[in-house]
Amino acid sequence: MDSRLLRADELGIRLEMVGGLPIWEPHPIYKHQKAVDRIRATIERLPFTDDSGAGGCACVHVADVYVSFPDGSLKRPDISIFCQEPREEEEAITLVPEAVIEVVSKGYEAKDLEIGPYFYLSQGVKDVLVFDPSTLLVLHTRRDGVTRQVSPVDVTLECGCRCVV
């Protein structure tokens, strides 16, 4: 793990590297963390839709953990959803999440609404959800388009998980 990232964390700053460019924001406030916890509590695996019982996603979700993406970027999504347990426990996760959920922090709307969705899709994430607790906007971005909804909304993810944002 890059020591600069760890030093930034000690100073109360979330530092990410996207395409070689450092992006920072302060640690989240209570309202932000409440939204993350509320969403995580609703994440569940959908029942299998085929008769074989094979496949499916385990819907493993983690909050605020470093993920190392294929292009070398290092980000800390508010919520990352994986279909299997990541192997890395002592360093950044290298498994690309199936879905990412970001909760907008006041003053950092552009990072989450404009930069994040397109970056995540370019790295292989299938669903990107961005929730703004101030406006209740839920932006859902996939390869096939973008939808805007108002929270609370039940969302089915491509991987076979669902959540309420």
Side-chain angles (χ1 to χ4, degrees):
M1 181 74 72
D2 188 325
S3 64
R4 294 175 296 171
L5 299 173
L6 297 177
R7 283 197 310 270
D9 200 52
E10 291 169 3
L11 297 172
I13 298 170
R14 287 177 54 155
L15 182 61
E16 300 177 333
M17 300 295 283
V18 180
L21 194 75
I23 299 175
W24 70 276
E25 67 182 314
H27 280 285
I29 60 173
Y30 181 60
K31 181 179 183 179
H32 182 279
Q33 289 304 93
K34 271 180 51 176
V36 168
D37 291 346
R38 179 184 58 76
I39 295 166
R40 285 188 71 202
T42 69
I43 297 172
E44 65 182 3
R45 179 179 174 178
L46 292 172
F48 290 122
T49 55
D50 63 1
D51 294 329
S52 71
C57 184
C59 302
V60 175
H61 52 92
V62 294
D64 195 29
V65 66
Y66 276 116
V67 177
S68 179
F69 287 91
D71 75 344
S73 294
L74 202 57
K75 286 190 62 60
R76 286 172 67 168
D78 288 318
I79 303 170
S80 299
I81 300 174
F82 302 93
C83 282
Q84 63 190 31
E85 191 83 31
R87 285 183 277 174
E88 297 85 2
E89 293 184 6
E90 301 284 335
E91 55 194 53
I93 294 171
T94 57
L95 182 64
V96 174
E98 295 292 320
V100 165
I101 303 170
E102 293 283 13
V103 176
V104 175
S105 294
K106 196 172 195 111
Y108 295 87
E109 294 85 357
K111 172 188 161 290
D112 290 328
L113 290 166
E114 296 172 23
I115 297 170
Y118 304 103
F119 167 77
Y120 289 125
L121 289 178
S122 76
Q123 298 302 301
V125 177
K126 295 175 184 153
D127 286 276
V128 181
L129 296 161
V130 181
F131 170 57
D132 186 339
S134 298
T135 64
L136 300 181
L137 168 72
V138 178
L139 182 75
H140 185 185
T141 307
R142 286 184 171 166
R143 291 171 293 207
D144 62 355
V146 178
T147 61
R148 287 174 171 74
Q149 299 170 321
V150 177
S151 179
V153 61
D154 193 329
V155 179
T156 300
L157 305 171
E158 280 190 41
C159 63
C161 304
R162 68 169 287 280
C163 64
V164 177
V165 179

